[in-house]
Each structure stands twice: as C-alpha cells, then as structure tokens.
Amino acid sequence: MLKWKYLNLLIIILLLLTGCVSKAVDQVNNQQPEQETSPDIHEETSGLNELPTFLEGQPEKVVNTYSAVSRFFDLLDLIPAQCGNNGQESSSLDCFVYKLNEDGSVIWTDYATKCETCVDIAAKAIYEFNNGKSIEEIKAEIESTYGNK
C-alpha cells in the first residue's frame, strides 16, 4: 500500500514537472525578439534634391541629414558605415540612398531613420569636412568613435 502511495506521488510530481517544462518551452518559442525592426522602405524621387515622403514626421536632425546627402553625396560614399545593423551597406551613403539611377532619379531607403548611428556619422562627416578636415582624418575619427558597432 505504501509502495502505491509513493508511486502515485512520483507520477504526480513527474506530471507537474512535465507541465512546467512544457510551459517554459512554449514561452521560449513564443517570445518575440527584443527589438523588431520593420523592413526598409524604399522610395523613388526624381533626384537628390527631392526628399522622400517617408521623412514626414521625422526629427529635424534626420530630415536635415537626408537633405545634406545631395550636397555631400561623394563624401558620404567614401565614409564607411559603422552601424553594424545592416550588413548590406558599405558606406554611410548606403544608409540613406538605396540606388542612384542613370537618369538621375534616386531610390531612397529609410534605414537611417531607424538608426541614430547612421545619422550621427553622416552629420559628423559633413560637419568635419566643412571645417577643413580631410577625408582620411574624418574616417579615422569616425572609426575611433564608432568602430563597427
């Protein structure tokens, strides 16, 4: 009789543990990533001087940086991207412009609207360039500050 009580108790404990483990597995499987990023928006405009509509409602610094891209296109193309969040870009320009078409039209990406590092690097590069620093000095300073984050 005592043997059956222990056996029943053991079965109950095993069932409870199995239920707890199952619940824990379900919770892990149903967890959302800590930070979900939405897919990038691409918008075509007639040229670099026409900003995309996805900038409506964005902070002034973001809008001003996108606006400066047209004037500092070549500079930003030489500054390596350091955000580390988008393995596809190779330059700071790629955080803002998806493609420059042969006819002069531009396909913008909203990637930089979601990445403060991209905006900061572009703004810093433009500021330093306007204050007489060479492209190599700017690249070294940005690498020192952001270093492939």
Side-chain angles (χ1 to χ4, degrees):
M1 179 95 160
L2 190 57
K3 180 179 171 182
W4 288 109
K5 284 184 182 179
Y6 286 121
L7 183 59
N8 285 337
L9 184 60
L10 181 62
I11 290 171
I12 291 170
I13 291 172
L14 287 174
L15 288 174
L16 288 173
L17 287 175
T18 303
C20 291
V21 169
S22 176
K23 186 174 181 180
V25 169
D26 287 344
Q27 286 177 341
V28 169
N29 288 338
N30 291 327
Q31 276 183 343
Q32 296 296 322
E34 283 185 27
Q35 180 182 10
E36 283 190 35
T37 56
S38 59
D40 295 344
I41 295 171
H42 295 148
E43 183 179 330
E44 187 169 358
T45 64
S46 63
L48 286 168
N49 292 322
E50 181 185 352
L51 294 177
T53 59
F54 61 69
L55 291 176
E56 292 173 13
Q58 291 292 327
E60 185 177 3
K61 181 177 182 179
V62 172
V63 175
N64 289 342
T65 305
Y66 268 86
S67 180
V69 165
S70 65
R71 296 184 309 277
F72 296 95
F73 189 87
D74 293 332
L75 168 68
L76 297 177
D77 197 32
L78 297 172
I79 304 299
Q82 300 288 330
C83 61
N85 292 328
N86 183 357
Q88 296 176 353
E89 85 264 0
S90 58
S91 74
S92 180
L93 181 65
D94 295 329
C95 298
F96 300 87
V97 174
Y98 180 73
K99 182 179 179 187
L100 181 60
N101 296 315
E102 287 184 25
D103 66 357
S105 63
V106 177
I107 301 176
W108 299 88
T109 178
D110 76 332
Y111 184 79
T113 66
K114 301 174 280 189
C115 181
E116 188 175 350
T117 300
C118 293
V119 173
D120 289 346
I121 286 173
K124 182 174 186 63
I126 292 166
Y127 175 81
E128 298 296 350
F129 186 76
N130 280 335
N131 284 306
K133 286 200 176 174
S134 72
I135 292 172
E136 290 308 314
E137 289 173 312
I138 296 167
K139 287 164 93 175
E141 190 172 322
I142 288 172
E143 174 65 30
S144 169
T145 303
Y146 296 95
N148 274 332
K149 289 185 178 181

